[in-house]
Amino acid sequence: MNEIRPIEWANGTLRLLDQTRLPSEEVIVEAHGYLEAVNAIKTMQVRGAPAIGVTAAYAVAMAARDLDITDKTAFMQRLEEAGVTIKAARPTAVNLMWAVDRMVGIANSESDTNSIKQRLLTEAIAMEKEDEVINRQMGDHGKDLIPEGGSVLTHCNAGALATAAFGTAVGVIRANWENGKHFSVFNTETRPFLQGARLTAWEFQKLGIPSTLVVDSAAGMLMRRGEIGCVITGADRIAANGDTANKIGTYTLAVLAKENGIPFYVAAPISTVDMSLSNGDQIEIEERSSDEVTEFRGVQIAPEGVEAYNPGFDVTPAKYVSAIITEAGIARPPFNESLNWAVNSAK
Ligand code: MRU
């Protein structure tokens, strides 16, 4: 099977599959320096928590490579400044901050600026490879979640495009499919940026997994009719108590799932767990441009001058989450204990 790899490092350049152009065009954009990588994150040419983390790692490596300073203290000061800029690209997905902190920590442990430059590039490449391994491990842990003849609903895009390869929530769905089972897949269009309609539907087609696209607001009706056996989403940040930030609309799906007695699963790597936050109220939620709501591809769809509010994410309280699939295994409530175990076993 041809793997989808949205991020590629080649000849000193970061090559990204432009996710703003999919599915109509498969265009590669190149980032030659760290500010171009930051721009790609800001404009969502690359998106999804783990993919943002891997891009940030390459951004730190490029920032270091392009510094013409040999004094380590001065070098580290400038690298840390670049790190602050990279971290500010988007606020909610903690993988971005996690990746920058990991890279800067490694830079600090090296003795001179040449070895920092070499080591950071090696580390970014390793983080890209590691992400695929982790996603496949999650798939393996979750490969029995969907029963033969069952059905699953996913939201937004938590597939290969949102990672280095394979995906998190879509990875788990794929692992179930590759485990020989047949089941129905529904995916929401995910207003307003349409990650579901444009990206997840495209991925399922490439994978040869039949899927049905539904508008976000059809989910409740499908659940009530018994057509959804479980829900699996990704996450952008998970607090220590299991409260989960993910694409706007996830909370609605989780409440609907509980109301209808349907398990609600989250698939996310440990790098998405933020043990420094005791609960989800402390997670910063990105507020995006109101144009995404009032316009569609540059065409005004709401009355001129209308107010629109566009939060990019919401927080699903842990009480609605049945289990969190990580590379360490499946964490179940109470999450304060199980996430602690998962974080420690992934160290
Ligand atoms: O705004 P986006 O497209 O970056 O949001 C992405 C999501 O919400 C995903 O579900 C999440 O990052 C998990 S990706 C494996």
Side-chain angles (χ1 to χ4, degrees):
M1 185 179 295
N2 264 346
E3 294 296 337
I4 301 163
R5 290 181 196 281
I7 302 167
E8 188 199 9
W9 178 257
N11 307 319
T13 298
L14 190 60
R15 291 166 52 82
L16 302 167
L17 178 57
D18 186 347
Q19 301 192 31
T20 64
R21 309 276 281 271
L22 287 171
S24 34
E25 290 174 294
E26 294 181 29
V27 176
I28 301 292
V29 286
E30 293 189 342
H32 301 98
Y34 87 94
L35 287 174
E36 288 179 14
V38 167
N39 188 53
I41 295 172
K42 281 187 174 165
T43 58
M44 310 243 302
Q45 287 173 320
V46 60
R47 44 138 307 277
I52 293 173
V54 171
T55 304
Y58 279 115
V60 175
M62 286 194 282
R65 178 198 64 190
D66 297 341
L67 278 177
D68 197 10
I69 300 172
T70 47
D71 173 64
K72 189 188 163 190
T73 309
F75 183 98
M76 282 309 303
Q77 194 182 333
R78 290 283 294 282
L79 190 65
E80 278 170 26
E81 282 165 18
V84 170
T85 304
I86 298 164
K87 280 186 183 183
R90 290 188 75 191
T92 305
V94 74
N95 308 61
L96 172 62
M97 297 66 179
W98 167 85
V100 172
D101 288 343
R102 174 166 158 178
M103 294 290 279
V104 171
I106 279 166
N108 262 318
S109 70
E110 290 293 322
S111 55
D112 62 80
T113 58
N114 268 338
S115 52
I116 293 176
K117 291 180 184 193
Q118 278 172 21
R119 179 74 200 283
L120 287 185
L121 182 55
T122 311
E123 189 68 14
I125 294 168
M127 280 163 77
E128 181 191 334
K129 294 206 171 107
E130 191 183 282
D131 187 57
E132 179 176 356
V133 171
I134 284 170
N135 294 335
R136 288 183 184 273
Q137 285 170 338
M138 281 192 274
D140 203 43
H141 293 308
K143 69 181 188 300
D144 292 319
L145 280 184
I146 309 170
E148 170 65 31
S151 54
V152 59
L153 173 79
T154 189
H155 185 52
C156 190
N157 173 265
L161 289 168
T163 63
F166 200 76
T168 59
V170 171
V172 169
I173 295 170
R174 173 175 168 180
N176 278 269
W177 192 260
E178 288 174 355
N179 200 13
K181 286 178 280 174
H182 295 88
F183 47 85
S184 320
V185 179
F186 292 90
N187 80 278
T188 57
E189 59 174 353
T190 320
R191 278 273 300 153
F193 206 72
L194 302 179
Q195 288 95 330
R198 296 188 302 104
L199 309 176
T200 307
W202 180 80
E203 282 200 31
F204 280 132
Q205 273 194 345
K206 290 236 171 207
L207 291 169
I209 300 176
S211 69
T212 304
L213 178 64
V214 292
V215 296
D216 301 340
S217 42
M221 178 260 211
L222 285 170
M223 287 189 202
R224 193 154 175 267
R225 272 192 186 166
E227 291 187 45
I228 308 291
C230 66
V231 180
I232 308 180
T233 73
D236 287 82
R237 196 185 293 227
I238 302 172
N241 71 345
D243 288 356
T244 297
N246 190 50
K247 181 53 53 194
I248 190 75
T250 304
Y251 170 48
T252 317
L253 294 176
V255 175
L256 283 166
K258 183 123 193 159
E259 167 69 17
N260 289 283
I262 295 165
F264 178 88
Y265 301 117
V266 172
I270 297 295
S271 53
T272 303
V273 180
D274 186 347
M275 293 302 266
S276 75
L277 304 184
S278 58
N279 66 67
D281 294 341
Q282 297 155 13
I283 300 175
E284 187 181 343
I285 299 295
E286 177 180 13
E287 203 177 307
R288 298 187 55 79
S289 164
S290 59
D291 293 353
E292 287 180 356
V293 180
T294 57
E295 293 176 7
F296 180 72
R297 301 223 148 149
V299 177
Q300 186 77 21
I301 53 170
E304 204 69 57
V306 82
E307 287 264 334
Y309 174 52
N310 187 17
F313 301 91
D314 58 26
V315 174
T316 298
K319 66 176 179 180
Y320 295 109
V321 179
S322 313
I324 301 174
I325 301 139
T326 73
E327 65 270 36
I330 301 186
R332 294 186 189 273
F335 290 114
N336 271 316
E337 284 166 29
S338 60
L339 285 177
N340 209 21
W341 159 80
V343 167
N344 285 325
S345 39
K347 271 181 188 157

